Amino acid sequence: MTRGALQPMVSSELAQSAAPVSCFVCEAANTRNAEYCRRCGSPMALAHPTPGRTARPKMVAVLGPSGSGKTVYLGMLLDMLSRQPQRLEIVARGASSIGLQQTTVSALASCEFPARTGADPESWNWMHCEIHRHETTAAAGAPSLAERLVRAVPQNRRAAVKKDPGVELVVPDMAGEAILEEVEHPQTYPVVRAMLQNSAAAMLLIDAPELHRGQRDPDFAAMKILSCLKELELQDGTARRSRRPLALVFTKADQVEGCRENPEEFARMHAVGTWQHCRWELCDYAFFAAGVVGCCAWLEVRGEGRRRAPLRIEPHGIIEPFAWLLEKLHPQGRR
Amino acid sequence: MQKHQDKLRLAVIVLLCLLHIGFGLYARQMPLLICGAAGMVYAAVATVGLRHAARPAAAASPFSAPVVAAERPAEPSNTDALVRRMLAQSRHALLLRRKVVANLREDEFREACEQLHARMALVPEGDVVLRQADDEGEIADPPAAMSGRRVHVAPLFLDRYTVTNRQYSDFVAAGGYRDATLWDLQVWPAVPDLVDRTGQAGPAFWQQGRYLPGEEDLPVVGVSWYEAQAAARWMGKRLPTDAEWVKAACWPVATDGAAMIQRRYPWGDCLDRSRANLWGSGPDRVVAVTEFPTGASAGGVYQMVGNVWEWSASDLRLSANQAYGVVAPLKSIRGGAFDTYFDNQAACQFESGEYPWSRRHNIGFRCAVGACDLVLDLPQVGQEGRAEAEASECEAVPV
């Protein structure tokens, strides 16, 4: 868990290293030199304060069963925000965040899907970033004066125009198996439990083509996760409905007719349990549809058998749910 | 005619029934009343049947012929009118076919040739190297001197622009979706399912059998491979093969050592996003086919990269050495679209695939015709020959 390193025999440094450091996710005490939390396995680098920032980063849980597209979604989100910073500008913090972007983009550009995220929390990638928004006019969609100024001003002078102090987010790319295991058998994965309990907002990814084919498993998995989220949020029993913002994203929506046009109607038709749960148990939720791959095909690989491959990458609906959650976490008018 | 006879027959039945009922009431004879009532019921059922038969066939059954909302143009009265109309419909390639060209006057022939050269670019004969995916599935960047599958391409004409909504509407209005000769026999039973948002025959995103206002110069999208093939046939053309498409885009040049120099993009080896409508470089939607003129290929073909993917006549084959193959039959598409994200997937050599029945928002097509299939010299048979050929040839031309 913690890689061995020689500690110099300097009394001040010894005293400093003996002082416990709280894990950012589960708040368990760890030694200063620990690389991962001894309790939950999250990287201790998250606990180190970002220079110039006093506010604690906000946690966002990206949830969903295995194969629902969490890694692809997060990797593409990071890359799209990096490449097209007109609306949202992102500053990635830490190698883990950039690693997630790199592995996803490299795989997809080569017409492959990234490898499945392992169940071991220490192998997960953590998206840790600072997001800045540019001022926009909410009504007509026309660029505001500030936005036009941002576009007009050269890159090296943009800092002078930006007014948004930004928000710091921590979003882990958790394994789907771990999420469902924790939901069904509490305390199996403390890091998942801590994320479900402490996250300021959540995003639930649901496989749209599976639902469209008539399979009920994605609906059941989503209902389990939603129940667990509510249970952990409302432990004191004072409130009846969850107030935590939740974006429900139907992934692979390009393969399903009608899903992109009206995701809520798709939920009503194909994920009735989830739709009912949202109506009765949640205050703040919205349905979205997203897709990354233009066409998927089964390839017969000699010696390996069949595997699915993305034949081209055409992302859509990736930024919208994230922007919606961001607005809930950090409303634009509130500074 | 048959419908009028049916109506007349019904009117006689109703009259007889009324007489039966009248006499029945007058004479208080129950059998007459029953006969009259039964006759009226029969007449009512028959009337409903007639109305049902008069409805559009598409509404009656999903497998019956769909209705084309656009007005079908009147049949031309003579060969002059037919040639005029075919030129207006950009069917110049059909007019220049060997069997048809003899019917043209000299001025008509010249006009057809002018239209051909204005709307299609000549791709000269020669070899082209098609890159294939390696064992890991990656399509490596093509070096200047390339290796790969070398294919010989015969000279051809390729559309300078992808087929627009306006051009495609001519095909729809001419009854292209009802003409079985334009479609492969095995797909013909499924053609009635190829309807727009309102259930009319046409591309998936049209309404009432028409494109939306202001979209006439946008490339037609929402068409399956079979629709593209049928429309190309109607124009007297065909879909280009993979090798033909890549040759037109990469513009290969043979060097001394028999190696080929091919461009990575139509304008050169470096991706210049200002020359193509790709993700992040355009308005995030399909644009008119004449836009991005600086991205044209050496032969003057527009938008070979970006805006919409283009159906090719070939099947998708990713692996040269059979290390892996595609399980379901897919058709090859080329060129990238307005939402293509990665630079390498917008390169001329990149090959993607799609199911032939898919009607996607970002796949269109352009047509090709072999130069050897056309007569480009002044034909010997002019006005004199027309009268003789008129009877036999013109009827063979699908209108």
Side-chain angles (χ1 to χ4, degrees):
Chain A
M1 191 160 288
T2 301
R3 297 203 180 124
L6 284 177
Q7 180 68 49
M9 294 296 285
V10 180
S11 60
S12 60
E13 286 196 21
L14 285 172
Q16 206 176 16
S17 65
V21 177
S22 289
C23 167
F24 173 76
V25 180
C26 71
E27 295 176 353
N30 285 268
T31 58
R32 183 168 165 262
N33 292 336
E35 192 178 354
Y36 296 103
C37 171
R38 61 183 171 77
R39 182 164 171 265
C40 72
S42 64
M44 285 304 294
L46 297 171
H48 303 155
T50 307
R53 280 208 161 266
T54 50
R56 183 182 155 84
K58 290 181 175 173
M59 285 195 283
V60 175
V62 174
L63 308 165
S66 179
S68 57
K70 297 177 291 298
T71 305
V72 170
Y73 178 84
L74 284 174
M76 281 304 292
L77 177 69
L78 278 166
D79 201 56
M80 288 173 79
L81 292 178
S82 313
R83 277 181 63 178
Q84 206 175 47
Q86 276 88 0
R87 279 171 66 194
L88 298 170
E89 206 159 321
I90 191 166
V91 181
R93 301 214 172 278
S96 179
S97 200
I98 298 162
L100 172 64
Q101 179 181 352
Q102 186 184 7
T103 49
T104 307
V105 166
S106 303
L108 292 177
S110 309
C111 293
E112 285 176 11
F113 285 114
R116 274 181 190 258
T117 307
D120 178 13
E122 288 184 16
S123 67
W124 296 350
N125 281 310
W126 290 68
M127 172 177 154
H128 181 197
C129 57
E130 206 171 287
I131 308 277
H132 297 274
R133 258 182 316 203
H134 299 302
E135 298 280 354
T136 53
T137 46
S144 67
L145 179 64
E147 200 174 33
R148 273 180 278 158
L149 281 172
V150 165
R151 286 179 187 168
V153 173
Q155 192 77 32
N156 56 355
R157 294 186 57 209
R158 278 191 186 172
V161 178
K162 277 185 290 195
K163 290 178 184 172
D164 182 18
V167 58
E168 199 175 353
L169 296 178
V170 170
V171 190
D173 175 27
M174 297 185 282
E177 290 96 336
I179 295 169
L180 279 187
E181 187 71 15
E182 176 59 33
V183 166
E184 288 170 1
H185 308 287
Q187 306 300 342
T188 322
Y189 286 90
V191 65
V192 177
R193 191 162 198 83
M195 282 302 302
L196 293 174
Q197 204 160 3
N198 302 328
S199 57
M203 192 181 286
L204 178 56
L205 271 55
I206 308 169
D207 191 311
E210 278 193 18
L211 284 173
H212 196 243
R213 284 194 291 267
Q215 292 179 19
R216 303 281 310 278
D217 287 348
D219 191 24
F220 292 136
M223 285 160 65
K224 281 181 193 170
I225 294 169
L226 289 176
S227 304
C228 185
L229 267 176
K230 187 198 166 196
E231 186 187 311
L232 290 173
E233 187 192 348
L234 309 177
Q235 277 175 333
D236 55 355
T238 52
R240 202 188 72 79
R241 297 173 82 183
S242 169
R243 295 195 169 276
R244 177 159 39 191
L246 178 79
L248 294 109
V249 185
F250 290 109
T251 53
K252 309 166 195 175
D254 45 279
Q255 297 168 37
V256 179
E257 208 173 320
C259 184
R260 273 173 79 170
E261 288 76 24
N262 193 345
E264 182 149 11
E265 180 62 15
F266 182 82
R268 199 178 67 79
M269 298 293 291
H270 299 282
V272 185
T274 305
W275 184 71
Q276 293 274 23
H277 188 103
C278 291
R279 286 183 66 207
W280 291 103
E281 306 287 351
L282 306 181
C283 291
D284 208 358
Y285 68 95
F287 288 94
F288 297 90
V292 169
V293 175
C295 180
C296 243
W298 283 100
L299 299 183
E300 187 80 54
V301 185
R302 197 164 56 199
E304 272 183 47
R306 290 185 177 187
R307 69 170 165 86
R308 273 181 87 74
L311 295 182
R312 58 183 181 275
I313 303 304
E314 295 163 355
H316 64 85
I318 299 291
I319 294 176
E320 285 80 358
F322 183 73
W324 181 83
L325 277 184
L326 206 63
E327 182 60 32
K328 296 287 172 188
L329 286 177
H330 184 58
Q332 204 153 24
R334 210 168 69 198
R335 291 280 182 266
Chain B
M1 194 64 187
Q2 178 66 36
K3 208 161 44 174
H4 288 297
Q5 284 176 355
D6 289 342
K7 279 183 181 172
L8 193 65
R9 200 175 298 135
L10 270 178
V12 171
I13 291 170
V14 168
L15 194 65
L16 284 172
C17 290
L18 286 173
L19 282 172
H20 272 76
I21 292 169
F23 276 115
L25 285 172
Y26 177 74
R28 295 189 179 176
Q29 290 292 318
M30 191 55 81
L32 279 174
L33 275 173
I34 291 170
C35 280
M40 290 297 277
V41 169
Y42 170 76
V45 170
T47 309
V48 170
L50 269 183
R51 282 186 186 162
H52 186 73
R55 276 184 201 157
S61 156
F63 292 101
S64 52
V67 175
V68 179
E71 284 293 314
R72 188 171 181 168
E75 288 296 320
S77 54
N78 54 33
T79 309
D80 278 348
L82 177 63
V83 171
R84 287 280 119 223
R85 198 174 83 186
M86 288 175 73
L87 284 171
Q89 290 171 332
S90 302
R91 299 169 80 190
H92 41 265
L94 202 56
L95 290 173
L96 294 174
R97 293 266 170 179
R98 289 186 192 286
K99 286 189 174 177
V100 185
V101 77
N103 298 294
L104 301 184
R105 288 197 312 263
E106 187 180 335
D107 60 321
E108 290 168 343
F109 171 78
R110 287 191 192 286
E111 195 176 340
C113 280
E114 277 171 21
Q115 200 177 82
L116 173 82
H117 289 293
R119 300 192 181 177
M120 302 189 86
L122 178 66
V123 181
E125 182 180 13
D127 287 353
V128 63
V129 178
L130 294 182
R131 294 287 292 175
Q132 299 284 336
D134 60 20
D135 287 355
E136 276 72 47
E138 292 187 17
I139 296 174
D141 288 356
M146 298 181 56
S147 61
R149 190 161 65 96
R150 197 170 176 136
V151 182
H152 183 78
V153 173
L156 74 144
F157 286 93
L158 184 69
D159 280 350
R160 290 186 190 276
Y161 310 102
T162 48
V163 173
T164 62
N165 280 315
R166 194 203 305 265
Q167 288 172 313
Y168 198 84
S169 70
D170 287 337
F171 164 70
V172 176
Y177 281 81
R178 293 182 302 216
D179 187 348
T181 59
L182 297 172
W183 302 78
D184 289 345
L185 194 61
Q186 68 270 24
V187 303
W188 177 242
V191 170
D193 287 339
L194 301 173
V195 291
D196 65 14
R197 284 176 166 154
T198 55
Q200 307 277 350
F205 305 107
W206 285 16
Q207 288 179 9
Q208 303 294 341
R210 293 173 188 277
Y211 52 83
L212 301 180
E215 295 191 349
E216 55 272 15
D217 292 329
L218 301 191
V220 63
V221 293
V223 287
S224 65
W225 184 85
Y226 296 109
E227 287 166 283
Q229 192 192 40
R233 278 179 186 162
W234 179 78
M235 292 181 216
K237 302 176 187 176
R238 58 178 172 78
L239 295 178
T241 64
D242 260 346
E244 288 169 345
W245 194 96
V246 175
K247 183 158 195 315
C250 293
W251 209 256
V253 177
T255 57
D256 293 342
M260 306 288 291
I261 296 175
Q262 297 187 175
R263 300 170 182 213
R264 186 171 155 80
Y265 300 100
W267 53 84
D269 286 335
C270 218
L271 178 60
D272 179 353
R273 288 188 163 265
S274 67
R275 293 173 186 252
N277 184 18
L278 297 167
W279 189 92
S281 69
D284 197 26
R285 59 175 169 77
V286 172
V287 298
V289 295
T290 48
E291 290 194 30
F292 293 91
T294 56
S297 72
V301 184
Y302 280 54
Q303 293 179 0
M304 295 213 82
V305 162
N307 211 23
V308 289
W309 290 94
E310 294 170 25
W311 286 114
S312 116
S314 310
D315 291 333
L316 176 71
R317 38 173 296 178
L318 287 171
S319 174
N321 54 9
Q322 305 299 314
Y324 57 84
V326 186
V327 174
L330 297 172
K331 289 292 175 188
S332 168
I333 56 171
R334 295 271 179 179
F338 69 93
D339 51 1
T340 295
Y341 189 74
F342 291 118
D343 294 0
N344 71 323
Q345 298 188 356
C348 300
Q349 288 284 357
F350 183 81
E351 180 185 21
S352 187
E354 188 56 70
Y355 296 92
W357 283 110
S358 287
R359 308 173 90 207
R360 302 298 301 262
H361 66 288
N362 60 357
I363 304 181
F365 66 101
R366 77 175 77 226
C367 303
V369 61
C372 60
D373 295 330
L374 303 179
V375 176
L376 300 171
D377 299 323
L378 198 63
Q380 295 305 307
V381 183
Q383 186 65 43
E384 300 80 26
R386 168 177 284 181
E388 297 160 21
E390 204 164 41
S392 58
E393 294 290 347
C394 283
E395 282 177 10
V397 176
V399 184

